[in-house]
Amino acid sequence: MPVIPPEQLAPLQSNQNNIRNFTLLAHVDHGKTTLADSLLATNGIISSKLAGTVRYLDFREDEITRGITMKSSAISLFFKIISEHRERAVEKDYLINLIDSPGHVDFSSEVSSASRLCDGAFILIDAVEGVCSQTITVLRQAWVDRIKMILVINKMDRLVTELKLSPIEAHYHLLRLIEQVNAVIGTFYRGELMNLDETEEETSDEGIYFSPEQGNVIFASAYDGWAFFLDQFSDFYEKKLGLKSSVLTKCLWGDYYLDPKTKRILQAKHLQGRRLKPLFVQFVLDNIWAVYNSAVVDRDLDKIEKIVKTLNIKVLPRDMKSKDPRNLLLAVFQQWLPLSTAILLTAIRKIPCPIDAQKDRALKVLKTTPHFENVDQNIATAMSNCNANKEEPMLAYISKMVAFSERDLPNQKRRQLTAEQMRELRQAKLAGSLEDSVGVLSINENEESNEAEENSENRYVNEEEEKDVFVGFARIYSGSISVGQQIYVYGPKYDPAKPDEHITKVTIESLYLMMGQELFALDTVPAGNVFAIGGLAGTVLRTATLCSVPGGPNLVGVTQQADPIVRVAVEPMRPYEMSKLVAGLEMLNQADPCVQIAAEENGEHVIMCAGEIHLERCLKDLRERFAKIEIQSSQPIVPFRETTVADPDMTAKDKDTPIGFVSTSLASGGVKIGISVTPLSSDLVNFLLNHEHTIELFMHHITKKTRNGDISFADLQKQKEEILSSEDFITSIHDLLAKDASDKSNLNEYLDSIMSFGPRRVGPNILIDKTGLMKKARHESDGSRLIAFDLAEYIITAFQISTQQGPLCAEPVQGICVSVDSIEIGDNGEENESLTVNNPQIPGQVISTVREAVKQGFLAWSPRLLLAMYSCDIQATAEVLGRVYGVVAKRRGRIVDEEMKEGTPFFNVKAVIPVVESFGFAVEILKRTSGAAYPQLIFHGFEMLDENPFWVPTTEEELEDLGELADRENIAKRYMLDVRRRKGLLVEQKVIEKAEKQRTLKH
């Protein structure tokens, strides 16, 4: 295939009906990048024989080393279809904008940024491994973004070469696989119906499921370079069987059989006991299996020659005699069932063009944006129609910022010579007139030949001075964008109701066509295209909305991502390079959509990442690309949570005082406060954790304050969680407390006295005022004397600090209720001159006193640590299953479920392991199983470690078994002390120095 130059692709951007924007989504190692190689080979970018091994779109060094994709890459391709119309050949040129996305869970943010820009997605599934954890994630992402999905069952060759399945067994295996995928889609559809309002109409489920006869399922082997959909075989057998292609397509999948005598198609109920093969097996799988059996399993060149002759294709003798069977397979399949043809034809037939896609999706997307009712309707109409006229308002969305080396920009590259120019240059060299030829060809006009040595000497210096330039990865929805045009950039906090805030006017400096790791300069980009935009590095941090007029929608407001779970502190090896580190961190923060950068109060710079592999990539980029200095990082910092529970054996120290009650006074005297701390039930804690936005709305009604200013019920309803009204929220808490038999503090009676939630005013801890005094506002008769109302804000502040930094290791607290039982102001009825509103010592004393009281009340119960947990999915054979169990147990994890995948030798093992024990887990699994198992870790939540960090043996049996020093290691205590050491907190631990030295006392 000849190379298609980018100059040939640029004119195709103006024909929106012939544009297809799609992405490849899948679980890790299910063949996305390998499939993309075959598509690139159609444009001559790589050799068709190397497709599947080059992994062209994985051009980072760590991607090549690990063999997984770590970031989204875009490339534009040319595809021509020649069809017959009225006995005349009609050519149609199509522009294919392809985005390859990662499959590893650590890079899920890259998946969302890719799908937001596309109109369709190919969902790849390994024919053997089936539906995996990340498969469900990418299906959900495509469902949420309302893009057309096409299922690709990849690695079909494994059914023949590894599982040794017969064609009939493979048929039933594929039936079950498609049913599993459709079951996942069904759960999304039912969940959507349950969340519909009464005013909204139910949507039909027609066309949402995958079915080969509908043309939205492709069977493929990307490594061997073949793929097909049913229409290809129905067209082939149409004349032989005398049936219409459309009828044959419906019968090629499912329980349909061909009567060999009557040549009629039968259903299963009409077989009358005859053992016939389904049409899909007889006409499709048998033929493919025959090629594999002849070329790989039982090598038979005579049979291969018959197959080649039957298919009317040409195979070179060197491929027939090649010792590598893959060469023969590629030679046969790339002519018979070329992968690129099946994928691209399906994309053109099933994925809508930008005009049709935006007509269906635009309004649904806009309704989820903040204050949609304030958006200029002209912009909404232009977006729905995908109008590319320059007079229409321009609307574009930047999903992420991508870092390119400055030398990779088109204006920095030397012009590539054509073959003719290279021949002329060679002849000029031979003739000894090199300088004249350089002048004629306009190559290096300003350089002289004697500068070549200096350039080579300065090459290292230039590499040192190379800079990274950020370009935006974008999609334009309406209008046209041109170089030199002035546009408005809407920040992530932009609100159409306040159009003058978070908006910046900029001038477009450069536009690019993305070709993998290369960029091609453009002057104008019309609506419906995916492109790159330069010159916005100082204006756009990660995502933004671009519009030619103010008053447009904020498309950034749609995205929601989970918070990173793994953190490390970084510092330069040479302290004087701190400024370079800070600049590098800012660039890393801009280049990676999932990473978060923070500067702690103690001066540490912290990187927060999604997982271990993501962390390694960030540190590598920081060292080699952005900061370009030597850095050292701390051990990974994992979050914990603190809580307290009621131990059945606990008794109060004082019979008259309940457990958790603390009575305390201010240091200056005059104010006495009674505080009670009680644990909350796990059901209530989970309810509060799942309704943060409801709590925010509830507290807004009480205090008229929120973290983000004014909010509306309509805005909150756009969030993923179910938003409850204040009355329903209190009723739900009341019902959960009523179910809790351990609740002895009668919290149900004081739900109308809730003062705050914490931490951050939306957390799973409750502050209640049982006195009712802090609600009574100040009157003129009170004068300047101190009353309970004045202490309310200080007590709330103390509560927020106490729940944000718990007493065990200064980690956030969850699951406690702090009650203010009594407030007494005044010393025995006598007036105290210090007890006035204007006393500056009162706030600090109240906050510190209440914090200490909450700490004592917390520790009076049985404290516990909550560990961050990973859910781990592992596929392994029976031979290595025991080793997998051993590694999980070593990491203090537990097996949750184990089931054998029907029709395969693989077991699906589901486990949970603590995040703090997970570092190096994947590498250890690979080593112990010799690469036969690979875990996929997904953040699961927090689980309680049921062990008191302050436990010591007290009973006779415990002392007899463990001794006074408790030889058994207290895991909770070890975790707690590790965190306290890291944070510089006091650690009470005996340290033995010079243990080998014996001290002898004189008698």
Side-chain angles (χ1 to χ4, degrees):
M1 182 73 187
V3 178
I4 306 296
E7 292 85 353
Q8 189 174 341
L9 300 175
L12 299 177
Q13 292 185 328
S14 57
N15 188 355
Q16 296 164 305
N17 289 312
N18 289 2
I19 295 175
R20 298 295 183 271
N21 303 311
F22 64 85
T23 181
L24 305 178
L25 304 177
H27 185 79
V28 64
D29 202 28
H30 277 200
K32 298 179 298 299
T33 307
T34 305
L35 185 143
D37 274 359
S38 295
L39 302 183
L40 300 183
T42 62
N43 279 221
I45 297 174
I46 60 175
S47 168
S48 59
K49 291 192 175 182
L50 295 177
T53 58
V54 174
R55 298 176 62 89
Y56 181 83
L57 294 178
D58 287 351
F59 46 82
R60 287 176 57 99
E61 183 181 347
D62 43 5
E63 287 181 321
I64 297 170
T65 304
R66 288 183 177 273
I68 61 173
T69 304
M70 294 186 180
K71 46 133 204 25
S72 300
S73 301
I75 194 165
S76 296
L77 303 173
F78 171 81
F79 186 61
K80 176 179 288 189
I81 293 181
I82 302 176
S83 58
E84 291 186 5
H85 181 68
R86 296 179 182 178
E87 298 182 356
R88 295 178 62 184
V90 178
E91 295 185 359
K92 283 189 177 181
D93 295 340
Y94 287 87
L95 176 64
I96 306 296
N97 293 318
L98 165 68
I99 302 177
D100 181 27
S101 63
H104 197 280
V105 65
D106 282 9
F107 311 105
S108 296
S109 59
E110 295 278 352
V111 175
S112 60
S113 65
S115 65
R116 287 290 308 280
L117 303 181
C118 296
D119 302 318
F122 283 87
I123 311 295
L124 277 71
I125 294 182
D126 190 315
V128 174
E129 295 182 7
V131 178
C132 298
S133 57
Q134 198 65 7
T135 309
I136 300 174
T137 302
V138 298
L139 283 169
R140 183 183 292 110
Q141 184 67 50
W143 177 269
V144 169
D145 289 334
R146 306 284 180 183
I147 59 178
K148 179 69 176 178
M149 290 182 280
I150 297 170
L151 180 65
V152 179
I153 300 178
N154 194 25
K155 301 192 179 184
M156 289 276 291
D157 56 292
R158 295 185 66 189
L159 300 179
V160 192
T161 57
E162 288 186 26
L163 300 189
K164 311 289 185 184
L165 297 183
S166 65
I168 189 71
E169 291 172 336
H171 177 229
Y172 291 119
H173 177 82
L174 295 172
L175 277 171
R176 287 191 297 269
L177 182 55
I178 294 177
E179 286 176 2
Q180 291 174 9
V181 183
N182 285 333
V184 176
I185 297 294
T187 60
F188 299 157
Y189 176 70
R190 289 191 295 272
E192 193 173 82
L193 289 183
M194 293 175 64
N195 294 330
L196 285 178
D197 295 335
E198 296 178 357
T199 57
E200 296 179 335
E201 296 183 2
E202 291 188 8
T203 55
S204 172
D205 63 349
E206 184 180 358
I208 68 172
Y209 297 108
F210 297 110
S211 180
E213 64 266 24
Q214 294 180 6
N216 58 4
V217 177
I218 296 175
F219 305 90
S221 172
Y223 185 72
D224 290 337
W226 63 267
F228 68 87
F229 52 91
L230 293 188
D231 284 354
Q232 290 175 280
F233 280 91
S234 60
D235 292 341
F236 180 76
Y237 288 109
E238 181 180 12
K239 294 181 180 179
K240 290 188 177 182
L241 299 177
L243 295 172
K244 289 184 178 180
S245 176
S246 57
V247 175
L248 193 54
T249 299
K250 294 180 181 178
C251 299
L252 270 178
W253 183 254
D255 290 333
Y256 292 96
Y257 305 84
L258 180 68
D259 190 331
K261 295 181 180 179
T262 63
K263 302 297 181 181
R264 295 178 59 187
I265 295 176
L266 307 175
Q267 292 183 340
K269 59 184 179 181
H270 298 133
L271 289 180
Q272 299 178 353
R274 289 180 292 178
R275 300 183 64 180
L276 300 179
K277 294 180 180 180
L279 289 178
F280 185 72
V281 176
Q282 184 178 356
F283 293 141
V284 180
L285 294 186
D286 276 350
N287 296 324
I288 294 174
W289 257 242
V291 176
Y292 273 99
N293 289 330
S294 304
V296 181
V297 182
D298 300 318
R299 194 163 178 88
D300 188 344
L301 293 181
D302 295 335
K303 194 171 182 180
I304 282 289
E305 289 179 357
K306 292 180 181 179
I307 293 173
V308 169
K309 187 176 181 180
T310 305
L311 295 175
N312 195 22
I313 58 178
K314 294 182 180 180
V315 178
L316 297 176
R318 68 182 182 191
D319 292 329
M320 294 286 288
K321 298 177 181 179
S322 174
K323 293 183 179 180
D324 185 359
R326 184 170 182 267
N327 292 334
L328 180 56
L329 289 175
L330 286 174
V332 174
F333 280 123
Q334 285 183 349
Q335 296 180 68
W336 177 32
L337 299 172
L339 183 142
S340 57
T341 302
I343 296 294
L344 296 178
L345 278 178
T346 304
I348 290 169
R349 292 180 180 182
K350 295 299 177 181
I351 294 177
C353 65
I355 296 176
D356 296 335
Q358 291 183 204
K359 192 177 296 181
D360 295 334
R361 293 175 57 207
L363 193 58
K364 295 176 183 177
V365 171
L366 288 175
K367 283 184 177 179
T368 61
T369 60
H371 289 102
F372 164 64
E373 62 279 1
N374 294 65
V375 174
D376 187 346
Q377 289 304 309
N378 292 330
I379 299 176
T381 304
M383 180 179 178
S384 298
N385 297 333
C386 192
N387 200 325
N389 293 333
K390 292 186 177 182
E391 293 76 17
E392 296 292 333
M394 188 280 299
L395 181 66
Y397 169 67
I398 296 178
S399 69
K400 67 170 186 174
M401 300 295 285
V402 185
F404 280 87
S405 176
E406 194 173 25
R407 65 179 180 180
D408 291 334
L409 298 181
N411 56 359
Q412 299 292 329
K413 286 189 174 182
R414 294 181 177 179
R415 184 166 58 89
Q416 189 174 0
L417 300 181
T418 64
E420 185 178 352
Q421 288 174 328
M422 293 174 68
R423 281 195 296 270
E424 291 180 8
L425 185 61
R426 180 174 178 274
Q427 292 174 359
K429 281 185 178 180
L430 293 175
S433 56
L434 178 60
E435 295 179 1
D436 296 337
S437 65
V438 170
V440 172
L441 294 172
S442 301
I443 302 171
N444 302 330
E445 295 178 356
N446 299 323
E447 295 181 0
E448 296 181 1
S449 58
N450 58 4
E451 293 180 350
E453 294 183 2
E454 294 181 11
N455 290 338
S456 62
E457 291 176 0
N458 295 332
R459 187 178 304 166
Y460 182 77
V461 177
N462 292 334
E463 289 181 0
E464 290 279 331
E465 297 174 356
E466 279 180 11
K467 294 182 180 179
D468 281 309
V469 178
F470 286 93
V471 299
F473 191 19
R475 161 80 180 263
I476 180 169
Y477 292 101
S478 66
S480 295
I481 187 169
S482 304
V483 176
Q485 180 180 352
Q486 288 192 332
I487 62 169
Y488 293 94
V489 177
Y490 303 161
K493 295 182 180 179
Y494 170 80
D495 190 343
K498 301 174 183 177
D500 297 330
E501 299 178 7
H502 305 289
I503 183 172
T504 309
K505 193 172 185 179
V506 298
T507 301
I508 301 299
E509 296 181 5
S510 52
L511 299 171
Y512 303 107
L513 180 70
M514 299 190 73
M515 299 294 291
Q517 58 184 328
E518 298 180 355
L519 298 173
F520 175 74
L522 298 172
D523 295 326
T524 302
V525 180
N529 285 283
V530 176
F531 67 103
I533 180 170
L536 300 180
T539 307
V540 179
L541 179 60
R542 288 179 177 171
T543 62
T545 305
L546 309 180
C547 194
S548 57
V549 294
N554 180 10
L555 300 177
V556 180
V558 182
T559 57
Q560 291 184 348
Q561 296 173 0
D563 291 333
I565 192 65
V566 178
R567 305 187 302 165
V568 293
V570 294
E571 61 182 12
M573 295 287 286
R574 305 175 186 86
Y576 61 84
E577 292 181 328
M578 178 61 76
S579 59
K580 292 183 179 179
L581 174 65
V582 173
L585 288 172
E586 292 177 355
M587 296 178 70
L588 175 65
N589 189 36
Q590 190 170 16
D592 195 317
C594 190
V595 75
Q596 292 184 10
I597 308 297
E600 300 291 333
E601 294 179 357
N602 58 3
E604 283 185 333
H605 293 277
V606 176
I607 302 176
M608 291 166 274
C609 303
E612 186 178 3
I613 295 180
H614 185 216
L615 173 62
E616 290 181 15
R617 190 190 81 171
C618 290
L619 293 177
K620 180 180 177 65
D621 283 348
L622 194 60
R623 288 190 183 99
E624 300 178 1
R625 190 168 186 184
F626 299 132
K628 295 181 180 177
I629 59 172
E630 288 296 321
I631 62 171
Q632 57 184 6
S633 58
S634 67
Q635 291 296 317
I637 304 169
V638 177
F640 291 84
R641 296 290 184 267
E642 301 179 21
T643 190
T644 190
V645 296
D647 195 323
D649 300 331
M650 292 181 64
T651 57
K653 295 181 180 179
D654 187 353
K655 295 182 180 180
D656 299 330
T657 304
I659 301 176
F661 177 79
V662 179
S663 181
T664 183
S665 301
L666 300 191
S668 59
V671 179
K672 189 175 182 181
I673 304 174
I675 299 289
S676 290
V677 178
T678 53
L680 298 176
S681 66
S682 59
D683 291 338
L684 179 54
V685 172
N686 292 330
F687 173 78
L688 296 176
L689 287 171
N690 295 330
H691 290 83
E692 281 195 359
H693 292 98
T694 300
I695 296 173
E696 190 170 1
L697 184 64
F698 175 76
M699 293 306 299
H700 177 66
H701 288 316
I702 296 177
T703 63
K704 307 301 180 185
K705 296 178 181 178
T706 65
R707 294 175 297 166
N708 302 316
D710 295 334
I711 55 174
S712 66
F713 187 78
D715 285 342
L716 287 177
Q717 287 218 325
K718 294 172 184 175
Q719 305 293 338
K720 289 184 178 179
E721 72 177 56
E722 179 187 3
I723 306 300
L724 305 177
S725 64
S726 299
E727 295 76 13
D728 294 339
F729 178 62
I730 291 296
T731 303
S732 300
I733 295 179
H734 182 277
D735 295 341
L736 290 170
L737 285 172
K739 294 178 183 177
D740 184 14
S742 62
D743 180 24
K744 300 179 181 178
S745 55
N746 300 322
L747 298 180
N748 257 334
E749 301 176 7
Y750 300 99
L751 291 182
D752 57 343
S753 301
I754 293 178
M755 295 177 64
S756 182
F757 293 84
R760 298 178 295 109
R761 299 185 183 271
V762 291
N765 305 287
I766 306 176
L767 176 63
I768 291 179
D769 174 24
K770 288 186 177 180
T771 65
L773 298 175
M774 287 185 280
K775 285 186 176 181
K776 297 179 181 179
R778 172 177 291 280
H779 297 287
E780 293 183 4
S781 59
D782 295 328
S784 62
R785 70 186 182 88
L786 191 69
I787 62 172
F789 176 79
D790 302 323
L791 304 181
E793 193 61 37
Y794 309 144
I795 292 176
I796 291 174
T797 302
F799 169 74
Q800 296 295 335
I801 297 173
S802 298
T803 52
Q804 181 63 38
Q805 299 179 349
L808 297 182
C809 49
E811 291 288 314
V813 176
Q814 70 179 43
I816 65 170
C817 176
V818 178
S819 306
V820 182
D821 293 349
S822 62
I823 298 178
E824 299 176 9
I825 301 177
D827 296 329
N828 299 324
E830 298 180 4
E831 292 292 333
N832 190 333
E833 295 180 358
S834 64
L835 300 180
T836 62
V837 180
N838 301 323
N839 188 348
Q841 296 181 350
I842 293 295
Q845 290 187 10
V846 171
I847 292 172
S848 59
T849 301
V850 173
R851 279 191 66 188
E852 184 62 28
V854 172
K855 175 183 176 182
Q856 293 178 16
F858 181 96
L859 296 177
W861 299 91
S862 184
R864 295 287 189 273
L865 278 179
L866 294 169
L867 307 183
M869 304 294 288
Y870 273 140
S871 172
C872 176
D873 290 339
I874 308 172
Q875 281 201 352
T877 58
E879 290 80 10
V880 298
L881 202 57
R883 300 174 189 174
V884 171
Y885 274 50
V887 176
V888 172
K890 178 183 176 183
R891 299 283 178 155
R892 305 190 186 280
R894 71 176 192 277
I895 303 297
V896 177
D897 186 28
E898 174 202 313
E899 61 178 4
M900 187 171 186
K901 291 193 71 114
E902 191 175 354
T904 72
F906 292 97
F907 285 85
N908 264 355
V909 179
K910 293 186 178 180
V912 290
I913 64 170
V915 176
V916 70
E917 300 283 355
S918 68
F919 300 100
F921 175 71
V923 175
E924 187 173 2
I925 282 277
L926 286 170
K927 286 181 179 178
R928 293 290 301 276
T929 63
S930 301
Y934 185 81
Q936 185 82 338
L937 301 175
I938 303 173
F939 181 60
H940 179 64
F942 288 88
E943 284 190 9
M944 183 188 299
L945 177 60
D946 196 11
E947 192 171 3
N948 190 337
F950 300 111
W951 179 86
V952 290
T954 53
T955 64
E956 291 184 4
E957 293 181 357
E958 292 171 346
L959 289 169
E960 184 177 347
D961 292 341
L962 304 172
E964 293 183 0
L965 300 177
D967 295 335
R968 186 185 67 187
E969 184 184 17
N970 188 329
I971 303 300
K973 185 176 182 180
R974 176 163 67 83
Y975 290 153
M976 181 186 73
L977 294 180
D978 287 344
V979 177
R980 292 185 70 89
R981 286 192 199 94
R982 173 172 58 80
K983 293 186 175 183
L985 303 175
L986 177 64
V987 176
E988 295 181 0
Q989 191 177 19
K990 293 180 180 179
V991 180
I992 301 175
E993 294 183 2
K994 300 179 181 179
E996 72 281 357
K997 184 177 180 180
Q998 181 178 358
R999 182 183 178 191
T1000 305
L1001 296 176
K1002 293 182 179 180
H1003 296 283

